[in-house]
Short mmCIF file of all heavy atoms in Angstrom, two decimals:
data_model
loop_
_atom_site.label_atom_id
_atom_site.label_comp_id
_atom_site.label_asym_id
_atom_site.label_seq_id
_atom_site.Cartn_x
_atom_site.Cartn_y
_atom_site.Cartn_z
N LEU A 26 0.83 -1.19 0.00
CA LEU A 26 0.00 0.00 0.00
C LEU A 26 0.87 1.26 0.00
O LEU A 26 0.52 2.25 -0.61
CB LEU A 26 -0.94 -0.02 1.20
CG LEU A 26 -2.05 1.02 1.19
CD1 LEU A 26 -2.96 0.80 0.00
CD2 LEU A 26 -2.85 0.91 2.47
N LYS A 27 2.05 1.17 0.64
CA LYS A 27 2.93 2.31 0.68
C LYS A 27 3.47 2.63 -0.72
O LYS A 27 3.63 3.79 -1.09
CB LYS A 27 4.08 2.05 1.65
CG LYS A 27 5.00 3.22 1.81
CD LYS A 27 6.11 2.91 2.79
CE LYS A 27 7.07 4.08 2.86
NZ LYS A 27 8.20 3.82 3.71
N ASP A 28 3.77 1.61 -1.51
CA ASP A 28 4.29 1.83 -2.85
C ASP A 28 3.27 2.52 -3.74
O ASP A 28 3.63 3.36 -4.57
CB ASP A 28 4.72 0.50 -3.49
CG ASP A 28 5.92 -0.10 -2.77
OD1 ASP A 28 6.69 0.67 -2.18
OD2 ASP A 28 6.05 -1.34 -2.80
N VAL A 29 2.00 2.19 -3.57
CA VAL A 29 0.96 2.82 -4.37
C VAL A 29 0.87 4.30 -4.02
O VAL A 29 0.75 5.15 -4.90
CB VAL A 29 -0.40 2.11 -4.14
CG1 VAL A 29 -1.52 2.87 -4.82
CG2 VAL A 29 -0.33 0.68 -4.63
N PHE A 30 0.97 4.63 -2.75
CA PHE A 30 0.90 6.02 -2.32
C PHE A 30 2.08 6.82 -2.90
O PHE A 30 1.90 7.94 -3.38
CB PHE A 30 0.90 6.12 -0.80
CG PHE A 30 0.94 7.55 -0.31
CD1 PHE A 30 -0.18 8.36 -0.42
CD2 PHE A 30 2.09 8.08 0.23
CE1 PHE A 30 -0.15 9.67 0.01
CE2 PHE A 30 2.12 9.39 0.66
CZ PHE A 30 1.00 10.18 0.55
N SER A 31 3.27 6.27 -2.85
CA SER A 31 4.43 7.00 -3.37
C SER A 31 4.32 7.18 -4.88
O SER A 31 4.73 8.21 -5.42
CB SER A 31 5.73 6.28 -3.02
OG SER A 31 5.78 5.01 -3.65
N TYR A 32 3.72 6.22 -5.58
CA TYR A 32 3.52 6.36 -7.03
C TYR A 32 2.57 7.50 -7.33
O TYR A 32 2.84 8.34 -8.19
CB TYR A 32 2.99 5.06 -7.62
CG TYR A 32 2.61 5.17 -9.07
CD1 TYR A 32 3.58 5.21 -10.06
CD2 TYR A 32 1.28 5.26 -9.45
CE1 TYR A 32 3.23 5.33 -11.39
CE2 TYR A 32 0.92 5.39 -10.77
CZ TYR A 32 1.90 5.41 -11.74
OH TYR A 32 1.55 5.53 -13.04
N PHE A 33 1.47 7.57 -6.60
CA PHE A 33 0.50 8.64 -6.83
C PHE A 33 1.04 10.00 -6.39
O PHE A 33 0.73 11.02 -6.98
CB PHE A 33 -0.83 8.36 -6.13
CG PHE A 33 -1.67 7.36 -6.85
CD1 PHE A 33 -2.04 6.19 -6.24
CD2 PHE A 33 -2.08 7.59 -8.14
CE1 PHE A 33 -2.82 5.25 -6.91
CE2 PHE A 33 -2.85 6.68 -8.82
CZ PHE A 33 -3.22 5.50 -8.20
N PHE A 34 1.89 10.01 -5.36
CA PHE A 34 2.51 11.26 -4.93
C PHE A 34 3.42 11.80 -6.03
O PHE A 34 3.41 12.99 -6.33
CB PHE A 34 3.28 11.08 -3.63
CG PHE A 34 4.00 12.32 -3.19
CD1 PHE A 34 3.28 13.39 -2.68
CD2 PHE A 34 5.37 12.43 -3.33
CE1 PHE A 34 3.93 14.55 -2.28
CE2 PHE A 34 6.02 13.59 -2.94
CZ PHE A 34 5.30 14.64 -2.42
N LEU A 35 4.23 10.93 -6.63
CA LEU A 35 5.11 11.37 -7.72
C LEU A 35 4.30 11.83 -8.92
O LEU A 35 4.64 12.80 -9.59
CB LEU A 35 6.06 10.24 -8.12
CG LEU A 35 7.16 9.91 -7.11
CD1 LEU A 35 7.96 8.70 -7.58
CD2 LEU A 35 8.07 11.10 -6.90
N LEU A 36 3.21 11.14 -9.21
CA LEU A 36 2.36 11.52 -10.32
C LEU A 36 1.74 12.89 -10.06
O LEU A 36 1.67 13.73 -10.96
CB LEU A 36 1.29 10.46 -10.55
CG LEU A 36 0.41 10.62 -11.77
CD1 LEU A 36 1.26 10.52 -13.04
CD2 LEU A 36 -0.65 9.54 -11.79
N CYS A 37 1.33 13.12 -8.83
CA CYS A 37 0.74 14.40 -8.46
C CYS A 37 1.78 15.52 -8.58
O CYS A 37 1.48 16.60 -9.08
CB CYS A 37 0.20 14.33 -7.04
SG CYS A 37 -0.54 15.85 -6.46
N PHE A 38 3.00 15.26 -8.18
CA PHE A 38 4.07 16.25 -8.28
C PHE A 38 4.37 16.57 -9.74
O PHE A 38 4.54 17.73 -10.11
CB PHE A 38 5.33 15.74 -7.58
CG PHE A 38 6.50 16.67 -7.70
CD1 PHE A 38 6.52 17.84 -6.97
CD2 PHE A 38 7.56 16.37 -8.54
CE1 PHE A 38 7.59 18.72 -7.09
CE2 PHE A 38 8.62 17.23 -8.66
CZ PHE A 38 8.64 18.41 -7.93
N ARG A 39 4.39 15.55 -10.58
CA ARG A 39 4.65 15.77 -12.00
C ARG A 39 3.52 16.58 -12.63
O ARG A 39 3.76 17.48 -13.44
CB ARG A 39 4.79 14.44 -12.73
CG ARG A 39 6.06 13.70 -12.41
CD ARG A 39 6.12 12.40 -13.15
NE ARG A 39 7.21 11.59 -12.69
CZ ARG A 39 7.25 10.28 -12.77
NH1 ARG A 39 6.26 9.63 -13.33
NH2 ARG A 39 8.30 9.62 -12.33
N MET A 40 2.30 16.26 -12.30
CA MET A 40 1.17 16.99 -12.87
C MET A 40 1.15 18.43 -12.37
O MET A 40 0.83 19.35 -13.13
CB MET A 40 -0.15 16.28 -12.54
CG MET A 40 -0.31 14.95 -13.24
SD MET A 40 -0.24 15.10 -15.03
CE MET A 40 -1.79 15.89 -15.33
N SER A 41 1.50 18.65 -11.12
CA SER A 41 1.57 20.02 -10.60
C SER A 41 2.67 20.81 -11.30
O SER A 41 2.50 21.99 -11.59
CB SER A 41 1.83 20.00 -9.09
OG SER A 41 0.77 19.39 -8.42
N SER A 42 3.78 20.15 -11.58
CA SER A 42 4.86 20.81 -12.30
C SER A 42 4.43 21.18 -13.71
O SER A 42 4.72 22.28 -14.19
CB SER A 42 6.10 19.92 -12.35
OG SER A 42 6.54 19.62 -11.06
N MET A 43 3.75 20.28 -14.38
CA MET A 43 3.27 20.56 -15.73
C MET A 43 2.24 21.69 -15.71
O MET A 43 2.22 22.53 -16.59
CB MET A 43 2.66 19.30 -16.36
CG MET A 43 3.67 18.25 -16.72
SD MET A 43 4.90 18.82 -17.89
CE MET A 43 3.90 19.08 -19.31
N SER A 44 1.40 21.71 -14.69
CA SER A 44 0.42 22.78 -14.56
C SER A 44 1.11 24.13 -14.35
O SER A 44 0.70 25.13 -14.94
CB SER A 44 -0.51 22.49 -13.39
OG SER A 44 -1.35 23.57 -13.13
N ALA A 45 2.16 24.15 -13.55
CA ALA A 45 2.89 25.40 -13.32
C ALA A 45 3.56 25.87 -14.61
O ALA A 45 3.56 27.07 -14.91
CB ALA A 45 3.92 25.21 -12.22
N LEU A 46 4.12 24.96 -15.39
CA LEU A 46 4.73 25.33 -16.66
C LEU A 46 3.69 25.87 -17.63
O LEU A 46 3.94 26.83 -18.37
CB LEU A 46 5.46 24.14 -17.27
CG LEU A 46 6.78 23.77 -16.61
CD1 LEU A 46 7.33 22.48 -17.23
CD2 LEU A 46 7.79 24.89 -16.75
N PHE A 47 2.51 25.28 -17.64
CA PHE A 47 1.44 25.75 -18.51
C PHE A 47 0.99 27.15 -18.09
O PHE A 47 0.76 28.01 -18.94
CB PHE A 47 0.27 24.77 -18.50
CG PHE A 47 -0.84 25.17 -19.41
CD1 PHE A 47 -0.72 25.03 -20.79
CD2 PHE A 47 -2.01 25.69 -18.90
CE1 PHE A 47 -1.74 25.40 -21.63
CE2 PHE A 47 -3.04 26.07 -19.74
CZ PHE A 47 -2.90 25.92 -21.12
N GLN A 48 0.86 27.38 -16.79
CA GLN A 48 0.47 28.70 -16.32
C GLN A 48 1.53 29.74 -16.65
O GLN A 48 1.20 30.87 -17.03
CB GLN A 48 0.23 28.67 -14.81
CG GLN A 48 -1.03 27.93 -14.43
CD GLN A 48 -1.20 27.82 -12.93
OE1 GLN A 48 -0.29 28.13 -12.16
NE2 GLN A 48 -2.37 27.37 -12.51
N LEU A 49 2.81 29.38 -16.56
CA LEU A 49 3.88 30.28 -16.95
C LEU A 49 3.80 30.60 -18.43
O LEU A 49 3.96 31.75 -18.85
CB LEU A 49 5.24 29.68 -16.61
CG LEU A 49 6.46 30.48 -17.03
CD1 LEU A 49 6.52 31.80 -16.28
CD2 LEU A 49 7.72 29.66 -16.82
N SER A 50 3.50 29.60 -19.23
CA SER A 50 3.35 29.79 -20.67
C SER A 50 2.21 30.75 -20.98
O SER A 50 2.34 31.64 -21.84
CB SER A 50 3.11 28.45 -21.35
OG SER A 50 2.74 28.61 -22.68
N MET A 51 1.09 30.60 -20.29
CA MET A 51 -0.04 31.50 -20.52
C MET A 51 0.27 32.92 -20.05
O MET A 51 -0.14 33.89 -20.68
CB MET A 51 -1.29 30.98 -19.79
CG MET A 51 -1.88 29.72 -20.39
SD MET A 51 -2.55 30.01 -22.03
CE MET A 51 -1.30 29.29 -23.06
N TRP A 52 1.03 33.06 -18.98
CA TRP A 52 1.42 34.39 -18.50
C TRP A 52 2.33 35.07 -19.52
O TRP A 52 2.17 36.27 -19.80
CB TRP A 52 2.11 34.28 -17.15
CG TRP A 52 2.50 35.61 -16.59
CD1 TRP A 52 1.69 36.52 -15.99
CD2 TRP A 52 3.80 36.18 -16.61
NE1 TRP A 52 2.41 37.63 -15.64
CE2 TRP A 52 3.72 37.44 -16.00
CE3 TRP A 52 5.03 35.74 -17.07
CZ2 TRP A 52 4.82 38.27 -15.85
CZ3 TRP A 52 6.13 36.57 -16.93
CH2 TRP A 52 6.02 37.82 -16.33
N ILE A 53 3.28 34.33 -20.08
CA ILE A 53 4.17 34.89 -21.09
C ILE A 53 3.38 35.27 -22.33
O ILE A 53 3.61 36.33 -22.94
CB ILE A 53 5.30 33.89 -21.43
CG1 ILE A 53 6.25 33.77 -20.23
CG2 ILE A 53 6.06 34.31 -22.68
CD1 ILE A 53 7.29 32.69 -20.38
N ARG A 54 2.42 34.46 -22.71
CA ARG A 54 1.56 34.78 -23.86
C ARG A 54 0.77 36.06 -23.60
O ARG A 54 0.63 36.90 -24.48
CB ARG A 54 0.63 33.60 -24.13
CG ARG A 54 -0.28 33.79 -25.29
CD ARG A 54 -1.11 32.55 -25.51
NE ARG A 54 -2.04 32.76 -26.61
CZ ARG A 54 -3.28 32.34 -26.62
NH1 ARG A 54 -3.75 31.65 -25.61
NH2 ARG A 54 -4.05 32.58 -27.65
N HIS A 55 0.24 36.20 -22.39
CA HIS A 55 -0.50 37.39 -22.03
C HIS A 55 0.41 38.62 -22.08
O HIS A 55 0.00 39.69 -22.60
CB HIS A 55 -1.11 37.24 -20.64
CG HIS A 55 -1.75 38.48 -20.12
ND1 HIS A 55 -2.96 38.95 -20.59
CD2 HIS A 55 -1.35 39.35 -19.17
CE1 HIS A 55 -3.26 40.06 -19.95
NE2 HIS A 55 -2.30 40.32 -19.08
N CYS A 56 1.62 38.51 -21.56
CA CYS A 56 2.57 39.63 -21.58
C CYS A 56 2.94 40.00 -23.01
O CYS A 56 3.05 41.19 -23.34
CB CYS A 56 3.82 39.30 -20.78
SG CYS A 56 3.56 39.24 -19.01
N HIS A 57 3.13 39.01 -23.86
CA HIS A 57 3.45 39.28 -25.27
C HIS A 57 2.30 40.02 -25.94
O HIS A 57 2.53 41.00 -26.67
CB HIS A 57 3.73 37.97 -26.00
CG HIS A 57 3.91 38.12 -27.47
ND1 HIS A 57 5.02 38.71 -28.02
CD2 HIS A 57 3.12 37.77 -28.51
CE1 HIS A 57 4.91 38.72 -29.33
NE2 HIS A 57 3.76 38.14 -29.66
N GLY A 58 1.08 39.59 -25.69
CA GLY A 58 -0.08 40.28 -26.24
C GLY A 58 -0.19 41.71 -25.74
O GLY A 58 -0.52 42.63 -26.49
N TYR A 59 0.07 41.91 -24.45
CA TYR A 59 0.01 43.26 -23.88
C TYR A 59 1.06 44.17 -24.51
O TYR A 59 0.78 45.31 -24.85
CB TYR A 59 0.19 43.19 -22.36
CG TYR A 59 0.24 44.54 -21.71
CD1 TYR A 59 -0.92 45.28 -21.52
CD2 TYR A 59 1.46 45.10 -21.31
CE1 TYR A 59 -0.88 46.53 -20.93
CE2 TYR A 59 1.50 46.35 -20.73
CZ TYR A 59 0.34 47.06 -20.54
OH TYR A 59 0.38 48.30 -19.97
N LEU A 60 2.28 43.63 -24.64
CA LEU A 60 3.36 44.45 -25.20
C LEU A 60 3.10 44.81 -26.66
O LEU A 60 3.39 45.93 -27.09
CB LEU A 60 4.70 43.72 -25.08
CG LEU A 60 5.29 43.61 -23.68
CD1 LEU A 60 6.54 42.75 -23.69
CD2 LEU A 60 5.60 44.98 -23.11
N THR A 61 2.56 43.88 -27.43
CA THR A 61 2.37 44.15 -28.85
C THR A 61 1.09 44.94 -29.13
O THR A 61 1.08 45.79 -30.01
CB THR A 61 2.35 42.84 -29.66
OG1 THR A 61 1.35 41.97 -29.13
CG2 THR A 61 3.70 42.17 -29.63
N GLU A 62 0.02 44.68 -28.38
CA GLU A 62 -1.26 45.33 -28.68
C GLU A 62 -1.44 46.65 -27.93
O GLU A 62 -1.85 47.64 -28.52
CB GLU A 62 -2.41 44.38 -28.35
CG GLU A 62 -2.44 43.15 -29.23
CD GLU A 62 -3.43 42.11 -28.75
OE1 GLU A 62 -4.19 42.41 -27.80
OE2 GLU A 62 -3.42 41.01 -29.31
N ASN A 63 -1.16 46.66 -26.65
CA ASN A 63 -1.44 47.86 -25.84
C ASN A 63 -0.28 48.85 -25.85
O ASN A 63 -0.50 50.06 -25.95
CB ASN A 63 -1.77 47.47 -24.40
CG ASN A 63 -3.05 46.68 -24.33
OD1 ASN A 63 -3.82 46.63 -25.27
ND2 ASN A 63 -3.28 46.06 -23.19
N VAL A 64 0.93 48.36 -25.72
CA VAL A 64 2.09 49.25 -25.65
C VAL A 64 2.53 49.67 -27.05
O VAL A 64 3.02 50.78 -27.25
CB VAL A 64 3.24 48.58 -24.87
CG1 VAL A 64 4.47 49.46 -24.82
CG2 VAL A 64 2.79 48.24 -23.46
N GLY A 65 2.34 48.79 -28.03
CA GLY A 65 2.69 49.12 -29.40
C GLY A 65 4.09 48.69 -29.81
O GLY A 65 4.60 49.14 -30.83
N ILE A 66 4.71 47.84 -29.02
CA ILE A 66 6.03 47.32 -29.38
C ILE A 66 5.86 46.32 -30.51
O ILE A 66 4.95 45.51 -30.48
CB ILE A 66 6.70 46.65 -28.15
CG1 ILE A 66 6.95 47.68 -27.07
CG2 ILE A 66 7.99 45.95 -28.53
CD1 ILE A 66 7.51 47.09 -25.79
N PRO A 67 6.74 46.36 -31.53
CA PRO A 67 6.63 45.34 -32.58
C PRO A 67 6.93 43.95 -32.05
O PRO A 67 7.50 43.79 -30.97
CB PRO A 67 7.68 45.76 -33.62
CG PRO A 67 8.48 46.84 -33.01
CD PRO A 67 7.78 47.33 -31.80
N VAL A 68 6.53 42.94 -32.80
CA VAL A 68 6.69 41.56 -32.35
C VAL A 68 8.16 41.24 -32.08
O VAL A 68 8.49 40.62 -31.07
CB VAL A 68 6.08 40.59 -33.39
CG1 VAL A 68 6.37 39.16 -33.01
CG2 VAL A 68 4.59 40.81 -33.49
N TRP A 69 9.04 41.68 -32.97
CA TRP A 69 10.46 41.39 -32.76
C TRP A 69 10.97 42.09 -31.49
O TRP A 69 11.87 41.58 -30.82
CB TRP A 69 11.29 41.79 -33.98
CG TRP A 69 11.25 43.26 -34.31
CD1 TRP A 69 10.40 43.89 -35.17
CD2 TRP A 69 12.09 44.28 -33.75
NE1 TRP A 69 10.66 45.24 -35.19
CE2 TRP A 69 11.70 45.51 -34.33
CE3 TRP A 69 13.12 44.28 -32.83
CZ2 TRP A 69 12.30 46.71 -34.02
CZ3 TRP A 69 13.73 45.49 -32.52
CH2 TRP A 69 13.32 46.68 -33.10
N GLY A 70 10.41 43.24 -31.15
CA GLY A 70 10.80 43.92 -29.92
C GLY A 70 10.35 43.16 -28.68
O GLY A 70 11.08 43.10 -27.68
N SER A 71 9.16 42.57 -28.76
CA SER A 71 8.68 41.75 -27.65
C SER A 71 9.57 40.52 -27.46
O SER A 71 9.91 40.16 -26.34
CB SER A 71 7.24 41.32 -27.90
OG SER A 71 6.80 40.44 -26.91
N TYR A 72 9.96 39.91 -28.58
CA TYR A 72 10.86 38.76 -28.49
C TYR A 72 12.21 39.17 -27.91
O TYR A 72 12.81 38.44 -27.11
CB TYR A 72 11.07 38.14 -29.87
CG TYR A 72 9.87 37.40 -30.40
CD1 TYR A 72 9.72 37.20 -31.77
CD2 TYR A 72 8.89 36.89 -29.57
CE1 TYR A 72 8.62 36.52 -32.27
CE2 TYR A 72 7.80 36.22 -30.06
CZ TYR A 72 7.67 36.04 -31.41
OH TYR A 72 6.59 35.37 -31.91
N ALA A 73 12.68 40.36 -28.27
CA ALA A 73 13.96 40.85 -27.73
C ALA A 73 13.84 41.09 -26.22
O ALA A 73 14.78 40.78 -25.47
CB ALA A 73 14.37 42.13 -28.44
N VAL A 74 12.71 41.62 -25.78
CA VAL A 74 12.50 41.84 -24.34
C VAL A 74 12.55 40.51 -23.58
O VAL A 74 13.21 40.38 -22.55
CB VAL A 74 11.16 42.56 -24.09
CG1 VAL A 74 10.77 42.51 -22.62
CG2 VAL A 74 11.24 44.00 -24.57
N PHE A 75 11.87 39.49 -24.12
CA PHE A 75 11.87 38.19 -23.46
C PHE A 75 13.25 37.53 -23.52
O PHE A 75 13.66 36.85 -22.57
CB PHE A 75 10.81 37.27 -24.06
CG PHE A 75 9.42 37.62 -23.64
CD1 PHE A 75 8.49 38.03 -24.57
CD2 PHE A 75 9.04 37.56 -22.32
CE1 PHE A 75 7.20 38.36 -24.19
CE2 PHE A 75 7.76 37.90 -21.91
CZ PHE A 75 6.85 38.29 -22.86
N ALA A 76 13.98 37.73 -24.61
CA ALA A 76 15.33 37.16 -24.70
C ALA A 76 16.25 37.81 -23.67
O ALA A 76 17.02 37.11 -23.00
CB ALA A 76 15.87 37.36 -26.11
N LEU A 77 16.17 39.13 -23.54
CA LEU A 77 17.01 39.81 -22.54
C LEU A 77 16.61 39.42 -21.12
O LEU A 77 17.47 39.25 -20.25
CB LEU A 77 16.91 41.32 -22.72
CG LEU A 77 17.60 41.87 -23.96
CD1 LEU A 77 17.31 43.36 -24.11
CD2 LEU A 77 19.09 41.62 -23.89
N ALA A 78 15.31 39.28 -20.88
CA ALA A 78 14.86 38.85 -19.54
C ALA A 78 15.37 37.45 -19.23
O ALA A 78 15.79 37.17 -18.09
CB ALA A 78 13.34 38.89 -19.47
N THR A 79 15.38 36.57 -20.24
CA THR A 79 15.89 35.21 -20.03
C THR A 79 17.39 35.23 -19.73
O THR A 79 17.86 34.55 -18.83
CB THR A 79 15.62 34.35 -21.28
OG1 THR A 79 14.22 34.33 -21.52
CG2 THR A 79 16.12 32.94 -21.09
N LEU A 80 18.14 36.04 -20.48
CA LEU A 80 19.58 36.12 -20.25
C LEU A 80 19.89 36.69 -18.87
O LEU A 80 20.75 36.16 -18.14
CB LEU A 80 20.23 37.00 -21.32
CG LEU A 80 20.31 36.38 -22.71
CD1 LEU A 80 20.83 37.42 -23.70
CD2 LEU A 80 21.22 35.17 -22.69
N PHE A 81 19.21 37.76 -18.48
CA PHE A 81 19.48 38.37 -17.18
C PHE A 81 19.05 37.47 -16.02
O PHE A 81 19.75 37.40 -15.01
CB PHE A 81 18.82 39.74 -17.07
CG PHE A 81 19.56 40.80 -17.82
CD1 PHE A 81 18.90 41.59 -18.74
CD2 PHE A 81 20.91 41.02 -17.63
CE1 PHE A 81 19.57 42.57 -19.45
CE2 PHE A 81 21.60 41.99 -18.34
CZ PHE A 81 20.92 42.77 -19.26
N SER A 82 17.92 36.79 -16.16
CA SER A 82 17.51 35.89 -15.08
C SER A 82 18.47 34.71 -14.96
O SER A 82 18.79 34.28 -13.86
CB SER A 82 16.08 35.41 -15.28
OG SER A 82 15.98 34.62 -16.45
N GLY A 83 18.97 34.21 -16.09
CA GLY A 83 19.97 33.14 -16.03
C GLY A 83 21.27 33.62 -15.40
O GLY A 83 21.92 32.89 -14.64
N LEU A 84 21.65 34.85 -15.71
CA LEU A 84 22.86 35.41 -15.11
C LEU A 84 22.71 35.55 -13.60
O LEU A 84 23.60 35.16 -12.84
CB LEU A 84 23.15 36.78 -15.73
CG LEU A 84 24.34 37.55 -15.16
CD1 LEU A 84 25.64 36.85 -15.50
CD2 LEU A 84 24.34 38.97 -15.67
N ILE A 85 21.58 36.07 -13.17
CA ILE A 85 21.34 36.25 -11.73
C ILE A 85 21.30 34.89 -11.02
O ILE A 85 21.91 34.71 -9.97
CB ILE A 85 20.04 37.03 -11.48
CG1 ILE A 85 20.17 38.44 -12.05
CG2 ILE A 85 19.68 37.08 -10.01
CD1 ILE A 85 21.26 39.28 -11.44
N LEU A 86 20.57 33.93 -11.61
CA LEU A 86 20.50 32.60 -10.98
C LEU A 86 21.87 31.93 -10.94
O LEU A 86 22.22 31.26 -9.97
CB LEU A 86 19.50 31.72 -11.72
CG LEU A 86 18.03 32.06 -11.51
CD1 LEU A 86 17.16 31.22 -12.45
CD2 LEU A 86 17.63 31.83 -10.08
N GLY A 87 22.66 32.11 -11.98
CA GLY A 87 24.01 31.55 -11.99
C GLY A 87 24.90 32.18 -10.94
O GLY A 87 25.67 31.50 -10.27
N LEU A 88 24.80 33.49 -10.79
CA LEU A 88 25.60 34.17 -9.77
C LEU A 88 25.19 33.76 -8.36
O LEU A 88 26.03 33.54 -7.49
CB LEU A 88 25.49 35.68 -9.93
CG LEU A 88 26.22 36.29 -11.12
CD1 LEU A 88 25.88 37.77 -11.24
CD2 LEU A 88 27.71 36.10 -10.98
N VAL A 89 23.88 33.65 -8.14
CA VAL A 89 23.40 33.26 -6.81
C VAL A 89 23.81 31.82 -6.50
O VAL A 89 24.28 31.53 -5.39
CB VAL A 89 21.88 33.44 -6.71
CG1 VAL A 89 21.32 32.77 -5.48
CG2 VAL A 89 21.54 34.92 -6.72
N SER A 90 23.64 30.92 -7.46
CA SER A 90 24.02 29.53 -7.19
C SER A 90 25.52 29.39 -7.02
O SER A 90 25.98 28.61 -6.18
CB SER A 90 23.53 28.62 -8.31
OG SER A 90 24.25 28.86 -9.51
N GLY A 91 26.31 30.17 -7.75
CA GLY A 91 27.76 30.14 -7.55
C GLY A 91 28.15 30.70 -6.21
O GLY A 91 29.07 30.20 -5.56
N ALA A 92 27.44 31.74 -5.78
CA ALA A 92 27.74 32.33 -4.47
C ALA A 92 27.38 31.38 -3.34
O ALA A 92 28.09 31.26 -2.36
CB ALA A 92 27.00 33.65 -4.31
N LEU A 93 26.25 30.69 -3.49
CA LEU A 93 25.85 29.72 -2.46
C LEU A 93 26.78 28.51 -2.45
O LEU A 93 27.01 27.93 -1.40
CB LEU A 93 24.40 29.28 -2.69
CG LEU A 93 23.35 30.35 -2.45
CD1 LEU A 93 21.98 29.82 -2.82
CD2 LEU A 93 23.37 30.82 -1.01
N GLU A 94 27.29 28.17 -3.61
CA GLU A 94 28.18 27.00 -3.69
C GLU A 94 29.52 27.27 -3.03
O GLU A 94 30.12 26.39 -2.42
CB GLU A 94 28.39 26.65 -5.16
CG GLU A 94 29.18 25.41 -5.40
CD GLU A 94 29.25 25.09 -6.87
OE1 GLU A 94 28.23 24.71 -7.46
OE2 GLU A 94 30.36 25.25 -7.43
N THR A 95 30.02 28.50 -3.13
CA THR A 95 31.32 28.82 -2.56
C THR A 95 31.24 29.53 -1.22
O THR A 95 32.25 29.99 -0.70
CB THR A 95 32.12 29.72 -3.54
OG1 THR A 95 31.37 30.91 -3.76
CG2 THR A 95 32.37 29.01 -4.85
N ASP A 96 30.04 29.63 -0.66
CA ASP A 96 29.82 30.31 0.62
C ASP A 96 30.32 31.75 0.58
O ASP A 96 30.86 32.27 1.53
CB ASP A 96 30.48 29.56 1.79
CG ASP A 96 29.84 28.22 2.03
OD1 ASP A 96 28.63 28.09 1.71
OD2 ASP A 96 30.51 27.31 2.52
N TRP A 97 30.11 32.42 -0.55
CA TRP A 97 30.56 33.80 -0.70
C TRP A 97 29.68 34.75 0.08
O TRP A 97 30.12 35.79 0.54
CB TRP A 97 30.55 34.12 -2.20
CG TRP A 97 30.97 35.51 -2.52
CD1 TRP A 97 32.18 36.09 -2.27
CD2 TRP A 97 30.18 36.52 -3.15
NE1 TRP A 97 32.19 37.38 -2.71
CE2 TRP A 97 30.98 37.67 -3.26
CE3 TRP A 97 28.88 36.54 -3.65
CZ2 TRP A 97 30.50 38.84 -3.84
CZ3 TRP A 97 28.42 37.70 -4.22
CH2 TRP A 97 29.22 38.84 -4.31
N LEU A 98 28.40 34.40 0.22
CA LEU A 98 27.47 35.28 0.91
C LEU A 98 27.64 35.26 2.42
O LEU A 98 27.24 36.18 3.11
CB LEU A 98 26.03 34.91 0.55
CG LEU A 98 25.61 35.15 -0.89
CD1 LEU A 98 24.20 34.62 -1.12
CD2 LEU A 98 25.66 36.62 -1.22
N VAL A 99 28.22 34.21 2.95
CA VAL A 99 28.32 34.06 4.41
C VAL A 99 29.61 34.61 4.93
O VAL A 99 30.63 34.64 4.38
CB VAL A 99 28.18 32.59 4.82
CG1 VAL A 99 28.32 32.44 6.31
CG2 VAL A 99 26.86 32.07 4.36
#
């Protein structure tokens, strides 16, 4: 009975993760629509904004994980 519970727990975690990714996708789609329709940024400009946001968030996450790995913050 314990094995069945752990299987369903993992399945629930996977489905929750997929749901979070889908919600993130819909939020990005909404932001793209807002930038192109309401603000008036061209489509390529919206893509450039998301590309820069991806690069900067990766840079920040990399710096934070490197700092935590080497105990630089402490």
Side-chain angles (χ1 to χ4, degrees):
L26 192 62
K27 183 180 177 184
D28 293 333
V29 173
F30 176 73
S31 64
Y32 173 76
F33 282 120
F34 177 73
L35 289 176
L36 187 63
C37 180
F38 177 73
R39 289 179 189 155
M40 292 301 289
S41 296
S42 300
M43 289 301 294
S44 172
L46 286 174
F47 182 74
Q48 289 176 350
L49 176 65
S50 170
M51 290 293 104
W52 181 77
I53 291 172
R54 181 177 178 220
H55 173 73
C56 289
H57 173 71
Y59 176 77
L60 288 174
T61 55
E62 295 170 7
N63 295 346
V64 178
I66 296 176
V68 174
W69 62 267
S71 174
Y72 289 157
V74 166
F75 285 117
L77 289 174
T79 302
L80 288 173
F81 283 127
S82 64
L84 176 68
I85 297 298
L86 287 173
L88 288 173
V89 168
S90 69
L93 291 175
E94 185 176 289
T95 59
D96 294 332
W97 179 62
L98 293 175
V99 179

